[in-house]
Amino acid sequence: MLPLPALLALTTTVFLGCLTEVLPAGLLLGMSADLGVSPSVTGQLVTVYAITTALTAIPLTGATLRVPRKRLLLALIAGFLVTNLLIALSSSYPLILATRVVSGALTGVMWSLVAGYAMRLAPLGLTGRALAVAMSGTPIGFALGVPAGTALGELADWRWAFAAMALITVPLLAWVLVAVPAVPADPAGTTRPLAASRLPGMRPVLATVALFSLGHNVAYTYIGPVLAGLDAASMLGSALLVFGCATVGGLVAVGSALDRHPRAVLVSCTAMTAVAIVLVGLSGGVHGLVLTAAALWGLAFGGAPTAFQAVTALIAGPTADAAQSLTIASWNGAVAGGALLGGLLLPLGTALLPWCAALLVLSPLLLSRRVVLSAPADRCRTPR
């Protein structure tokens, strides 16, 4: 059986990290008016966060590999408490921006830590399901957390949304102390992140992660203008809701298949995402087709990050924590790159975006055939 109390504590940690990253997008107008800056400047709170995560995940993960895993997890959660509370209390945009940089650095380490932690806690043959449970905090954050935080910001004030995230960390710290078993740090001779990139099969996986994230974000960041170009601007809210709910179903499906067919799951998620994005472009604004495309896209996207992390762990074996930082850096770097590339393509016409995004997502499928999965599923749980 899975150690659900411990895994659900990790789920809540992932939920908190996801919500901390993306919530400013839902509070954009209120924060902009209160802080006295334009919405575009306020939007940089998300961009800077993603870039910081991408730039710091590798060096900070390498620097903390010898820290006992539970102690590091508690420190990261405490860091979210301090940074979110500081944002809730601050009226200075520069201070909030600096705090977001710190939060982004915490998140990069958190993503690398939680994936390996969850898989090492699982019984033999259930590492994929354990990872899916822990990573379910991400789709839950998109499907429920962001709408709830946005609603709280609209009903009360945007500061209350950040204060609520800070308050979540208090019982979470107690939960981790009681329910999550301690896991030792890496030995002195551990493989560093950049050395892990030279493992057989690792570079094709990293290319797949980067191009998938790049293509997804080219389309997802500008889905509003794309739908407006199809005379379906009124469908934006419904499409995002369907997408968010479908991500949960995608994660459940991936969790049940990941232990037995990791490469097939990775390829399926990639292909389904490309098909869904193309379907958006071909929908002609027909509501049923738009919602169908959103559901298919959500199903594929809900499982993709977990599949990427699982395959990374299978390749890396006992160096999984170090290797996860490479996946996190590739993913978050492409988040910022996708928003930038989509912005450059947008003046050429919204009809072009889905096709370019789908091409980017599909391009690494040939690379993914080279992924080396000869290691047993639980190799990443080798004692440290």
Side-chain angles (χ1 to χ4, degrees):
M1 292 178 62
L2 290 174
L4 284 179
L7 290 175
L8 291 176
L10 297 180
T11 302
T12 307
T13 303
V14 170
F15 171 85
L16 180 63
C18 172
L19 197 55
T20 298
E21 179 172 2
V22 301
L23 186 57
L27 304 172
L28 198 64
L29 296 180
M31 294 183 71
S32 174
D34 194 26
L35 297 173
V37 296
S38 68
S40 61
V41 171
T42 306
Q44 299 311 306
L45 295 175
V46 177
T47 304
V48 167
Y49 194 108
I51 292 174
T52 302
T53 299
L55 293 177
T56 61
I58 294 174
L60 290 183
T61 297
T64 56
L65 284 174
R66 299 181 186 179
V67 179
R69 304 289 87 182
K70 184 171 182 177
R71 185 185 305 170
L72 180 59
L73 179 61
L74 290 168
L76 293 173
I77 296 170
F80 285 127
L81 167 61
V82 173
T83 53
N84 283 321
L85 186 60
L86 185 58
I87 292 173
L89 297 174
S90 177
S91 298
S92 167
Y93 177 82
L95 178 58
I96 291 175
L97 185 65
T99 305
R100 293 285 293 175
V101 169
V102 176
S103 293
L106 294 172
T107 301
V109 180
M110 184 272 292
W111 289 123
S112 302
L113 171 68
V114 167
Y117 212 139
M119 298 180 81
R120 291 168 68 187
L121 292 176
L124 294 174
L126 294 178
T127 54
R129 293 187 184 184
L131 181 59
V133 171
M135 292 299 111
S136 65
T138 296
I140 292 172
F142 276 106
L144 301 178
V146 173
T150 301
L152 178 60
E154 292 174 349
L155 291 174
D157 183 86
W158 66 267
R159 298 179 186 279
W160 283 105
F162 282 95
M165 287 194 292
L167 291 174
I168 290 173
T169 62
V170 177
L172 179 57
L173 284 169
W175 189 357
V176 170
L177 279 169
V178 172
V180 178
V183 177
D186 285 326
T190 188
T191 300
R192 294 293 170 178
L194 292 181
S197 69
R198 294 190 289 271
L199 293 170
M202 186 63 71
R203 290 179 182 176
V205 170
L206 295 177
T208 303
V209 171
L211 289 168
F212 178 95
S213 181
L214 187 67
H216 165 78
N217 283 286
V218 164
Y220 187 81
T221 304
Y222 298 98
I223 188 63
V226 168
L227 291 179
L230 295 170
D231 293 325
S234 62
M235 292 296 298
L236 178 60
S238 299
L240 291 178
L241 178 61
V242 169
F243 175 91
C245 293
T247 58
V248 179
L251 187 61
V252 171
V254 163
S256 63
L258 200 51
D259 289 307
R260 291 171 294 173
H261 309 291
R263 185 169 62 180
V265 169
L266 185 151
V267 173
S268 297
C269 288
T270 302
M272 283 177 59
T273 298
V275 170
I277 294 173
V278 168
L279 184 57
V280 171
L282 295 177
S283 67
V286 176
H287 289 190
L289 289 179
V290 170
L291 294 180
T292 299
L296 184 63
W297 193 353
L299 281 170
F301 182 78
T306 301
F308 292 141
Q309 289 180 301
V311 170
T312 298
L314 292 177
I315 293 172
T319 64
D321 288 357
Q324 291 295 348
S325 67
L326 300 173
T327 302
I328 301 307
S330 299
W331 180 274
N332 282 278
V335 170
L340 175 61
L341 179 58
L344 294 175
L345 292 172
L346 195 59
L348 301 178
T350 57
L352 183 64
L353 282 179
W355 297 98
C356 291
L359 181 61
L360 287 167
V361 170
L362 277 177
S363 59
L365 275 183
L366 291 178
L367 290 173
S368 68
R369 294 176 183 273
R370 297 168 51 201
V371 174
V372 177
L373 292 174
S374 58
D378 292 276
R379 178 176 157 196
C380 61
R381 297 173 61 251
T382 301
R384 309 197 177 195

